[in-house]
Amino acid sequence: METVAFYGAGMLGSGMVRAMLRRGIAVRAWSRTTGKAQALEGDGARAFVDPAEAARGADRIHCCLSDDASVDAVIDAALPGIATESPIVDHTTVSPQGVVDRTRRLADTGHSYLHAPVFMGPPMALQATGVMMVSGDAGLVQRVRAALEAMCSDLRYLGERVDAAAIYKLMGNAMILAVVGGLNDLMRIAEEQGLTRSETYKLFDFYDPCGQLKGRGKRMVNGEYEPIWSLDMARKDALLMQTAAHHERLPVIDAVEALLRNLSDRGLGNLDLAAIAHR
């Protein structure tokens, strides 16, 4: 039976652990909050208080923690029990530089580290669906590929650059924040104009904003700024939005309006909105 040491028993990590147990993997679980690891014993895991003891005898190490500091602290505490032949796979959303430093530091001790963040929520982790990204040494990735593929429905290898997965994870999360922030602004405008949120959401029955990704997004990538909707016209509409919201705070629109104003002041207002990416 394959044995895995898993560090982190939050909502996402617990889903991953339970999915591993369903696949017949022996999981040795550790969490800063001991009760969270102990709660997994009902599903068949073994809970440990000592991080190093949890790692002893494990074929592979997995982390799903909160940030760079927690990953470094937990790995350092567990390292005396981690065999050099046992790869360390980290699913935590962390900084690209943290991944670079961690990979180098662990390599100096003879250990292998891979960063494999995910785009999945706890229910998806439990069902082993969603996207997992991984980057780093191709040979090491090949060693753990089957195990990672079993944890998701779409495993993406992003190449040898060790911090590539971290960068893509932050880009994806930036998109989430931008979309949710935009939805917040949209609902504020609608509420100030007397619409309910249910009425507001009907917009998406007939308007698909994904076209901006595939259309204007590609224009931004290629530097194609022939105007379809100019920066100046977009700014005019942003001002209308602010007025319609009775000048209540619109965090996303306010920031974009300021950027559009700057570009217009630089004489770029006749270019397409794609030129918002102009440097």
Side-chain angles (χ1 to χ4, degrees):
M1 179 182 291
E2 184 181 32
T3 300
V4 163
F6 201 103
Y7 296 87
M11 291 187 292
L12 184 62
S14 293
M16 291 179 173
V17 168
R18 290 189 172 101
M20 287 180 177
L21 293 167
R22 290 177 179 180
R23 295 195 297 275
I25 298 171
V27 180
R28 301 162 68 89
W30 178 93
S31 175
R32 287 183 183 275
T33 305
T34 304
K36 290 183 178 181
Q38 291 173 337
L40 293 169
E41 290 188 316
D43 297 279
R46 286 185 61 194
F48 287 81
V49 174
D50 181 358
E53 188 59 29
R56 296 190 202 284
D59 301 302
R60 196 171 61 255
I61 311 299
H62 287 261
C63 301
C64 189
L65 300 160
S66 59
D67 54 23
D68 282 294
S70 64
V71 172
D72 287 332
V74 170
I75 290 178
D76 286 347
L79 208 58
I82 300 176
T84 54
E85 62 269 20
S86 300
I88 302 169
V89 183
D90 180 17
H91 307 291
T92 312
T93 300
V94 292
S95 69
Q97 188 59 51
V99 171
V100 171
D101 294 342
R102 198 169 300 115
T103 303
R104 183 183 301 117
R105 178 171 61 85
L106 288 168
D108 289 342
T109 67
H111 292 85
S112 302
Y113 171 87
L114 282 175
H115 188 226
V118 299
F119 291 123
M120 64 175 71
M124 299 172 77
L126 183 60
Q127 297 300 322
T129 59
V131 177
M132 180 180 293
M133 301 163 288
V134 64
S135 58
D137 180 78
L140 179 57
V141 171
Q142 190 58 36
R143 279 179 57 195
V144 300
R145 175 178 287 277
L148 299 187
E149 286 178 338
M151 297 176 68
C152 63
S153 53
D154 187 355
L155 179 67
R156 296 294 175 122
Y157 176 54
L158 300 176
E160 295 265 353
R161 179 172 173 172
V162 296
D163 59 350
I167 296 168
Y168 273 79
K169 172 62 175 177
L170 292 182
M171 289 192 297
N173 281 9
M175 193 69 207
I176 293 171
L177 294 180
V179 169
V180 173
L183 285 169
N184 173 72
D185 284 4
L186 176 153
M187 290 180 182
R188 174 56 64 89
I189 294 168
E191 287 169 352
E192 290 295 321
Q193 291 296 314
L195 295 182
T196 67
R197 291 192 173 186
S198 294
E199 290 171 326
T200 303
Y201 199 72
K202 290 179 181 178
L203 170 68
F204 302 108
D205 289 344
F206 53 87
Y207 169 66
D208 182 3
C210 291
Q212 293 300 311
L213 297 178
K214 297 179 179 180
R216 189 155 276 111
K218 288 184 178 179
R219 289 164 64 85
M220 293 170 74
V221 168
N222 297 326
E224 297 173 359
Y225 302 149
E226 186 68 23
I228 296 175
W229 186 29
S230 72
L231 289 164
D232 279 345
M233 291 302 290
R235 183 182 174 228
K236 181 267 296 182
D237 287 359
L239 293 171
L240 290 175
M241 295 168 203
Q242 292 172 326
T243 301
H246 299 145
H247 297 285
E248 291 290 332
R249 187 164 179 264
L250 302 175
V252 174
I253 296 301
D254 292 345
V256 172
E257 188 279 323
L259 179 56
L260 294 173
R261 185 186 336 127
N262 176 270
L263 291 166
S264 182
D265 290 345
R266 290 164 53 193
L268 303 175
N270 63 327
L271 298 180
D272 187 76
L273 179 59
I276 200 168
H278 182 75
R279 295 291 181 267

